């Protein structure tokens, strides 16, 4: 492992930190707002964004005293404008409006838009040298090398929000980079952790949406059930910590108390523990390098067991696929992510069964390799082109995969 590509310089703090929330109406957005509401004097909200949830976004913008609110869908502009009438808050809509929100002069930007749609606005925040609290993992999966390179060149600080990476980030500070032997990401194992393969093949949408420990948006909840979430996180860790694939391990830890660990050369393992509540890593990023109140405390005496087990790549093939694309490199992770987004949306629409998610991703990867579309993205436009091609390949393959008995 070489140097950590995270800018280690804490942001210059005035008494008030200006913040922008990309994906303000979502699960991560709500947890961030909860923390901000508890310390209103420390934070000033510059901009907030959503996809289509204009009325909820306007209510948040008013309550938080934001200066700018943007929805991705232009069809929602009138609703947003009407809901903000008389508030003095500027309203905007469309892809460019999200980028404008990110470009506005906030010290700290929460990147919590779901999926590849986060790429342009998150990069816009990084390229003006902001502190970017990165919740969205697809950004790193789709264009990780490019994103980290541009963020470093702009002097941006990238802070990992994802609980496992935040835990690793915290644990890394216990030693020097050269002495790190491996990074361990923990996984809850999701609702199907102990299910036999046959039962997983029959899993329903309702069962997949029932995460045992975490309350999250639907896309990431399905990704947790398939363990694609952990696969995406391996790729995310590779970029965030400049770690080789073989230096990143996954351990299933159903209690979700230990979020990540770092093993050092001398045999010491440093871990971060906390309740399964995203307000803990968000609070760490919001106040970094200081600390603020986050969530309820752990009660150790009530914890009877903390268990760890190896992940099963046969029952959860998404993990294997993620490891393979990391080895393949180039545009393969972008294809994996794009195909997975199509597959998860189709599963949520009940157009495919649960095992078809991984099957569609694998088929799209094979088709992309055969067509030679796995080139390394050198620019955002390249990453988006690979993403676009992979999505249309996945859509084309969908009926064939859906009809397959798995
Ligand atoms: P949610 O689905 O709850 O919220 C997503 C947010 O992004 C909403 O504000 C939504 O707006 C907006 N959004 C969705 N699609 C688009 C789009 N195409 N263009 C612009 N805005 C869009 O997701 P989460 O908060 O759960 O997750 C956000 C990101 O954080 C994901 O990348 C996820 O992987 C990551 N993450 C989440 C964790 C969690 O615990 N939830 C943990 C770790 C990482 P609208 O309300 O209008 O739909």
């Amino acid at each position: 492992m070489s140097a950590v590509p995270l800018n280690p310089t804490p942001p210059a703090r005035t008494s008030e930190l200006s913040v922008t929330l990309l994906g303000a109406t979502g699960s991560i957005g709500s947890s961030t707002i909860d923390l901000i509401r508890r310390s209103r004097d420390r934070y000033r909200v510059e901009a907030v964004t959503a996809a289509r949830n204009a009325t909820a976004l306007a209510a948040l913008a008013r309550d938080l005293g934001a200066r700018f609110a943007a929805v991705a869908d232009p069809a929602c502009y009138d609703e947003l404008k009407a809901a903000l009438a008389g508030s003095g808050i500027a309203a905007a809509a469309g892809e460019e409006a999200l980028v404008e929100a990110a470009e506005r002069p906030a010290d700290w930007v929460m990147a919590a838009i779901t999926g590849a749609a986060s790429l342009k606005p998150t990069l816009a925040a990084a390229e003006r040298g902001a502190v970017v609290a990165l919740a969205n993992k697809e950004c790193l999966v789709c264009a990780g090398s490019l994103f980290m390179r541009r963020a470093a060149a702009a002097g941006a600080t990238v802070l990992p929000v994802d609980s496992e990476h935040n835990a690793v980030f915290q644990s890394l500070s216990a030693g020097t980079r050269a002495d790190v032997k491996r990074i361990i990401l923990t996984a809850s194992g999701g609702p199907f952790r102990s299910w036999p393969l046959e039962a997983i093949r029959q899993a329903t949408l309702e069962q997949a949406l029932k995460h045992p420990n975490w309350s999250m948006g639907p896309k990431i909840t399905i990704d947790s059930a398939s363990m694609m979430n952990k696969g995406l996180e391996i790729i995310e860790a590779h970029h965030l910590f400049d770690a080789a694939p073989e230096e990143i391990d996954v351990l299933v830890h159903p209690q979700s108390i230990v979020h990540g660990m770092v093993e050092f050369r001398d045999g010491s393992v440093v871990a971060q523990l906390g309740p399964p509540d995203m307000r803990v890593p968000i609070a760490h990023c919001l106040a970094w390098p200081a600390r603020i109140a986050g969530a309820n405390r752990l009660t150790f005496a009530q914890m009877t067991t903390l268990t760890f087990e190896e992940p099963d790549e046969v029952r959860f093939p998404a993990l294997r696929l993620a490891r393979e694309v990391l080895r393949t490199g180039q545009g393969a992770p972008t294809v994996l992510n794009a195909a997975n987004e199509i597959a998860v949306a189709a599963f949520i629409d009940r157009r495919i069964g649960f095992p078809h998610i991984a099957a569609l991703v694998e088929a799209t990867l094979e088709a992309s390799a055969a067509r030679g579309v796995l080139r390394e993205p050198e620019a955002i436009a390249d990453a988006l082109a690979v993403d676009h091609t992979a999505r249309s390949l996945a859509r084309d393959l969908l009926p064939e995969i859906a009809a397959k008995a798995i």
Side-chain angles (χ1 to χ4, degrees):
M1 275 176 234
S2 59
V4 186
L6 299 170
N7 179 352
T9 316
R13 297 250 168 186
T14 53
S15 55
E16 195 182 58
L17 189 81
S18 54
V19 306
T20 281
L21 309 175
L22 305 173
T25 48
S27 164
I28 293 285
S30 304
S31 296
T32 313
I33 290 167
D34 178 58
L35 293 166
I36 289 173
R37 281 197 177 118
R38 290 197 248 155
S39 311
R40 290 292 277 256
D41 52 325
R42 291 178 64 120
Y43 304 102
R44 180 185 68 72
V45 178
E46 175 67 31
V48 287
T49 77
R52 282 166 289 278
N53 222 333
T55 305
L57 183 72
L60 285 178
R62 281 179 181 271
D63 178 51
L64 297 168
R67 296 177 177 176
F68 183 83
V71 278
D73 187 347
C76 301
Y77 176 71
D78 289 346
E79 187 187 341
L80 180 66
K81 182 117 180 99
L84 288 174
S87 66
I89 302 167
E95 206 181 90
E96 289 314 309
L98 300 185
V99 172
E100 185 183 343
E103 283 173 341
R104 290 177 73 101
D107 303 312
W108 188 96
V109 177
M110 168 54 79
I113 290 173
T114 322
S118 178
L119 201 50
K120 280 189 185 170
T122 307
L123 192 64
E127 289 201 310
R128 66 173 178 78
V131 179
V132 178
L134 193 61
N136 171 283
K137 53 195 84 188
E138 293 87 348
C139 219
L140 288 178
V141 175
C142 292
S145 308
L146 176 72
F147 180 85
M148 293 309 287
R149 209 169 47 237
R150 298 257 191 102
T157 300
V158 179
L159 299 176
V161 172
D162 218 348
S163 56
E164 297 77 0
H165 304 79
N166 184 270
V168 168
F169 179 46
Q170 295 197 43
S171 303
L172 279 171
S173 64
T176 63
R177 203 66 187 82
D179 292 328
V180 172
K181 201 137 178 59
R182 66 177 172 143
I183 282 170
I184 303 161
L185 307 173
T186 59
S188 69
F192 309 142
R193 178 181 63 87
S194 55
W195 288 28
L197 184 57
E198 264 323 303
I200 295 176
R201 285 183 173 143
Q202 307 300 323
T204 65
L205 175 61
E206 289 67 27
Q207 290 167 327
L209 282 172
K210 247 190 216 132
H211 197 284
N213 305 344
W214 295 94
S215 158
M216 310 180 283
K219 158 75 169 52
I220 184 170
T221 305
I222 302 298
D223 284 347
S224 296
S226 68
M227 290 197 77
M228 179 60 88
N229 184 47
K230 212 47 55 182
L232 298 177
E233 286 179 5
I234 295 172
I235 302 170
E236 193 184 359
H238 162 72
H239 291 293
L240 277 172
F241 307 117
D242 199 12
E246 59 278 9
E247 290 168 320
I248 309 164
D249 276 353
V250 171
L251 275 180
V252 176
H253 166 52
Q255 297 81 17
S256 296
I257 298 295
V258 178
H259 301 295
M261 304 183 250
V262 174
E263 184 183 315
F264 290 95
R265 190 201 295 264
D266 60 6
S268 299
V269 178
V270 179
Q272 185 262 357
L273 283 69
D277 184 331
M278 283 308 292
R279 287 176 301 179
V280 177
I282 296 171
H284 178 251
C285 294
L286 200 47
W288 183 81
R291 300 272 182 175
I292 53 171
N296 294 334
R297 297 167 65 188
L298 279 181
T299 44
F300 283 93
Q302 284 171 14
M303 263 182 245
T304 47
T305 43
L306 291 182
T307 58
F308 300 91
E309 52 197 74
E310 292 291 340
D312 181 347
E313 292 189 1
V314 175
R315 287 183 305 133
F316 300 99
L319 265 181
R320 168 181 57 81
L321 293 173
R323 288 240 181 240
E324 281 171 13
V325 301
L326 196 50
R327 276 193 295 273
T328 307
Q330 300 185 310
T334 316
V335 172
L336 171 105
N337 180 64
N340 183 54
E341 284 191 25
I342 297 293
V344 171
F347 176 65
I348 290 174
D349 288 348
R350 301 180 196 276
R351 285 185 289 141
I352 58 173
F354 189 72
H356 296 111
I357 298 176
L360 183 62
V361 173
E362 188 154 25
T364 310
L365 281 164
E366 282 164 8
S368 302
R371 291 185 189 199
V373 294
L374 292 184
R375 63 191 177 278
E376 175 80 37
E378 293 296 333
I380 286 297
D382 298 341
L384 292 175
V386 174
D387 176 86
H388 184 77
T389 311
R391 277 168 204 270
S392 67
L393 273 174
R395 279 191 205 100
D396 291 348
L397 288 163
L398 195 102
E400 184 191 321
I401 296 294
K404 251 189 179 167
I406 301 179

